[in-house]
Amino acid sequence: MSWQTYVDDHLMCDIDGSGQHLSSAAITGLDGTVWAQSTKFPQFKPEEMKGICNEFDNPGTLAPTGLFLGAAKYMVLQGEAGAVIRGKKGAGGICIKKTGQAMVFGLYDEPVAPGQCNMVVERLGDYLVDQGM
């Protein structure tokens, strides 16, 4: 299965048959290279990706400044240290799951709830971890 298929079929899927979808999603390498992304995934800067990677290695580093992706600033919420970063921006937010070789990104806006986004992103991330990815 291609990485784009994971994005299209597993991240940008209809959530729980509700007709709701994430606003954008991507899978990147741990170095920030994009493996696959949805059409609306934000164009990010290398330093934004470095900040996200640093947060996984040193949890709590983004809390004072916020998480930036594509020049959008997210308030960092409690995730799972070294494994999941969650952020909030207005009525939307972001969830990032780190696997052994990749990062799975999901961005959402209302009416999608934070828990729905977390479930979609973390479920795929957990699957990739189980596959040795």
Side-chain angles (χ1 to χ4, degrees):
M1 188 178 318
S2 77
W3 292 112
Q4 192 62 50
T5 302
Y6 282 114
V7 170
D8 296 342
D9 294 352
H10 298 281
L11 294 174
M12 297 302 293
C13 62
D14 180 342
I15 300 171
D16 296 333
S18 62
Q20 299 171 0
H21 301 82
L22 298 181
S23 53
S24 64
I27 300 172
T28 71
L30 295 179
D31 61 356
T33 56
V34 176
W35 294 0
Q37 65 184 14
S38 64
T39 54
K40 294 183 181 177
F41 191 74
Q43 189 70 30
F44 57 85
K45 298 178 181 139
E47 59 267 21
E48 293 172 338
M49 199 56 66
K50 284 180 188 164
I52 292 166
C53 291
N54 189 42
E55 175 69 19
F56 281 119
D57 294 336
N58 303 296
T61 57
L62 288 180
T65 60
L67 181 156
F68 287 86
L69 185 70
K73 181 179 179 179
Y74 296 87
M75 179 179 65
V76 177
L77 306 173
Q78 183 176 359
E80 295 172 35
V84 178
I85 300 171
R86 297 184 186 113
K88 184 94 173 115
K89 177 181 177 283
I94 187 170
C95 179
I96 310 165
K97 168 74 177 182
K98 180 182 177 192
T99 72
Q101 299 176 29
M103 293 182 286
V104 180
F105 289 77
L107 284 73
Y108 67 92
D109 285 306
E110 284 186 330
V112 174
Q116 291 174 302
C117 177
N118 299 345
M119 177 195 66
V120 169
V121 170
E122 293 174 39
R123 184 171 51 197
L124 178 58
D126 290 341
Y127 170 78
L128 294 176
V129 167
D130 290 345
Q131 300 303 307
M133 297 299 298

